[in-house]
């Protein structure tokens, strides 16, 4: 079956009630048949869920669906996207190991690389997203993982997955991609040679601004290591959130279709507007990496970014003139959201530091929602005036 169907139809075995929708398994532990059953499960001689920090049917269903959607063998689910990023690096790396990462990564991932992992002697070298020689030159004998986001947040920079995979294969590195902006329905990094796909399910997977969640999808071999780390460090996803996210996957395809349609239309209308320096959207022909975009993405996604002519002040003013758009930190919601990174998420950096990660003072990031296109445009159009 097609991925779009599997996202709706894959589910756990039904219970004796023959329920249509999957029930919610709110239990912290599971009962053993007898002392021997208990011994065998703890000894890993027999399959069993044991405890909800280890396993849960709702969590497993979400993992199974996401693994199928990402063409991964299996996966692991966590309480948030950052828990997934941390669990992955924590599970795979040791003191003295080295990461090569694209410079433009999510803010908390940047903090993890620069402030947290170094506490355990794990270091990271950043490379500009379009410097493929730079990625290869940054690799040392201690390098174990190459990490990147494409499209990046908030700059919408695109990195050629196949090209990076050829580098990581040559150097026997793990290649991990944060696929949060694209979702598996628009881009499957594993199909282009990545070894690991990481998600913040908080964004498009939930898509309705309700729950946090994260996933790591990869081979059985890698996930066994993740499992060994996660079982005893406790970043477990709650069964209720897993149930919510699994139900959300049933509408992912129709939501992404509308997000992409609305976003492309808004990006097209913004291009050439007198108040705007430039617009960035992966499926605009003017996107600097358009050739790579059409090779690895099915559609452009729901995020549009643009540069206002008036810089920092214009960015703040624009946000204050919006009525429909929510000013909030999330993205990928049914509701349209606007943010101005220079005065919010990246305000602690200097203008020069911001530029290094592709954030100019007038940069506005729009997460285009599922509202009627005329209402979305009306709000933007009025605020620009
Ligand atoms: C939001 C986000 C994360 C972190 O996810 P949380 O669920 O908020 O912890 C990681 N990567 C990207 C690209 C994100 O947008």
């Amino acid at each position: 079956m097609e991925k779009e169907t599997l996202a709706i139809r894959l589910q756990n075995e039904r219970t004796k009630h023959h329920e249509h929708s999957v029930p919610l398994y709110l239990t912290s532990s599971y009962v053993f048949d007898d002392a021997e059953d208990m011994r065998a499960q703890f000894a890993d001689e027999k399959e069993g869920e044991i405890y909800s920090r280890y396993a849960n049917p709702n969590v497993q269903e979400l993992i199974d669906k996401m693994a199928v959607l990402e063409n991964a063998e299996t996966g692991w689910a966590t309480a948030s996207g950052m828990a997934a990023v941390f669990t992955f690096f924590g599970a795979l790396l040791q003191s003295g190991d080295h990461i090569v990462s694209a410079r433009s990564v999510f803010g908390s991932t940047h903090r993890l690389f620069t402030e947290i992992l170094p506490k355990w002697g794990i270091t990271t070298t950043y490379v500009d997203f379009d410097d493929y020689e730079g990625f290869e030159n940054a690799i040392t004998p201690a390098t174990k993982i190459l990490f990147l986001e494409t499209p990046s947040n908030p700059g919408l920079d695109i990195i050629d997955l196949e090209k990076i995979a050829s580098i990581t294969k040559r150097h026997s590195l793990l290649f991990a991609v944060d696929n949060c902006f694209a979702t598996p329905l628009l881009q499957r990094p594993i199909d282009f040679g990545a070894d690991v796909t990481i998600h913040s399910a908080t964004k498009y997977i939930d898509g309705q601004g309700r729950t946090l969640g994260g996933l790591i999808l990869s081979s059985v071999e890698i996930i066994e290591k993740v499992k060994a780390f996660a079982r005893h460090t406790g970043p477990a996803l709650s069964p209720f959130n897993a149930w919510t996210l699994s139900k959300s996957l049933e509408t992912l395809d129709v939501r992404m279709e509308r997000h992409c349609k609305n976003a492309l239309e808004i990006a097209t209308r913004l291009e050439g507007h007198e108040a705007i320096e430039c617009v960035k959207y992966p499926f605009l022909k003017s996107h600097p990496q358009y050739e790579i975009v059409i090779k690895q993405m099915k559609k452009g996604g729901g995020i549009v970014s643009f540069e206002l002519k008036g810089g920092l002040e214009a960015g703040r003013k624009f946000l204050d003139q919006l009525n429909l758009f929510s000013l909030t930190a999330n993205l990928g919601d049914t509701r349209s959201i606007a943010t101005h990174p220079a005065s919010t998420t990246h305000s602690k950096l200097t203008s020069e530091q911001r530029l290094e990660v592709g954030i100019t003072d007038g940069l506005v990031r729009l997460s285009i929602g599922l509202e009627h296109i005329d209402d979305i445009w009306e709000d933007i159009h009025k605020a620009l005036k």
Side-chain angles (χ1 to χ4, degrees):
M1 281 190 270
E2 299 293 329
K3 307 278 187 209
E4 290 76 2
T5 309
L6 291 167
I8 297 167
R9 284 291 179 173
L10 273 182
Q11 66 177 60
N12 293 330
E13 269 177 53
R14 292 193 174 86
T15 73
K16 64 176 183 169
H17 300 294
H18 304 283
E19 66 281 338
H20 189 206
S21 179
V22 173
L24 176 56
Y25 295 87
L26 278 183
T27 179
S28 41
S29 64
Y30 305 86
V31 180
F32 305 102
D33 292 338
D34 49 33
E36 171 51 24
D37 180 38
M38 190 170 185
R39 187 207 60 79
Q41 287 198 32
F42 272 100
D44 281 332
E45 287 168 17
K46 196 174 163 188
E47 286 269 323
E49 276 140 330
I50 303 179
Y51 192 58
S52 272
R53 173 150 44 76
Y54 291 15
N56 173 278
N58 295 114
V59 173
Q60 195 57 47
E61 186 190 87
L62 174 68
I63 293 170
D64 292 344
K65 274 192 189 177
M66 283 295 290
V68 164
L69 296 185
E70 286 287 8
N71 284 336
E73 285 174 12
T74 185
W76 191 259
T78 56
S80 71
M82 280 322 299
V85 175
F86 176 66
T87 299
F88 169 65
F89 287 108
L92 272 295
L93 296 181
Q94 318 224 10
S95 181
D97 285 347
H98 176 248
I99 301 162
V100 171
S101 171
R103 192 183 304 282
S104 32
V105 290
F106 182 67
S108 292
T109 305
H110 171 67
R111 292 286 182 95
L112 181 73
F113 288 159
T114 55
E115 292 170 23
I116 299 170
L117 291 179
K119 291 203 298 181
W120 295 298
I122 297 166
T123 55
T124 302
T125 301
Y126 283 133
V127 180
D128 291 338
F129 77 96
D130 56 354
D131 184 4
Y132 295 92
E133 250 173 56
F135 278 107
E136 188 143 24
N137 292 339
I139 296 167
T140 73
T143 310
K144 296 282 159 28
I145 295 171
L146 194 152
F147 177 84
L148 57 86
E149 292 171 16
T150 182
S152 69
N153 179 10
L156 297 174
D157 298 322
I158 304 290
I159 303 177
D160 190 323
L161 293 167
E162 267 181 336
K163 235 184 201 172
I164 296 290
S166 72
I167 297 171
T168 54
K169 291 223 159 47
R170 239 190 337 267
H171 295 268
S172 305
L173 306 182
L174 274 184
F175 176 21
V177 178
D178 181 331
N179 200 29
C180 171
F181 269 33
T183 84
L185 295 183
L186 303 186
Q187 169 179 281
R188 289 189 273 279
I190 288 172
D191 289 358
F192 296 96
D195 303 295
V196 183
T197 301
I198 297 176
H199 275 283
S200 165
T202 314
K203 313 295 169 51
Y204 288 104
I205 305 300
D206 174 36
Q208 289 146 88
R210 301 168 300 189
T211 70
L212 301 188
L215 288 124
I216 305 161
L217 303 146
S218 188
S219 62
V220 170
E221 188 192 341
I222 299 292
I223 297 301
E224 279 303 315
K225 292 181 181 165
V226 167
K227 208 188 260 188
F229 180 86
R231 279 181 160 197
H232 305 296
T233 50
L237 178 64
S238 94
F240 180 76
N241 287 358
W243 180 85
T244 308
L245 293 167
S246 187
K247 294 302 281 179
S248 292
L249 282 180
E250 297 184 17
T251 57
L252 181 63
D253 182 42
V254 287
R255 285 187 285 108
M256 289 319 290
E257 222 170 81
R258 177 75 166 251
H259 278 301
C260 294
K261 186 165 169 257
N262 277 354
L264 177 61
E265 181 62 31
I266 294 297
T268 306
R269 290 187 195 183
L270 283 171
E271 239 185 355
H273 191 286
E274 56 185 10
I276 286 172
E277 196 72 53
C278 62
V279 183
K280 218 163 176 194
Y281 180 68
F283 260 53
L284 281 183
K285 287 211 174 70
S286 59
H287 189 291
Q289 293 91 43
Y290 183 69
E291 292 306 316
I292 307 170
V293 171
I294 54 171
K295 193 175 75 167
Q296 64 193 33
M297 292 181 76
K298 263 196 200 152
K299 286 179 185 151
I303 309 292
V304 177
S305 67
F306 63 89
E307 174 68 25
L308 280 167
K309 277 184 179 155
L312 202 73
E313 213 28 61
R316 290 165 55 102
K317 231 180 187 167
F318 173 78
L319 253 61
D320 277 339
Q321 297 303 316
L322 291 167
N323 291 314
L324 178 76
F325 275 76
S326 309
L327 307 187
T328 179
N330 198 21
L331 64 91
D333 200 317
T334 53
R335 302 167 176 206
S336 290
I337 292 166
T339 53
H340 178 230
S343 70
T344 57
T345 47
H346 294 73
S347 63
K348 288 196 187 114
L349 305 180
T350 63
S351 279
E352 289 71 37
Q353 286 171 325
R354 279 198 291 269
L355 269 183
E356 274 192 4
V357 288
I359 294 164
T360 46
D361 287 346
L363 183 80
V364 173
R365 186 192 77 189
L366 301 177
S367 169
I368 303 296
L370 308 185
E371 303 96 335
H372 195 287
I373 185 72
D374 292 347
D375 293 321
I376 299 173
W377 176 247
E378 175 73 9
D379 204 37
I380 297 172
H381 181 65
K382 261 195 187 151
L384 284 176
K385 249 190 192 166

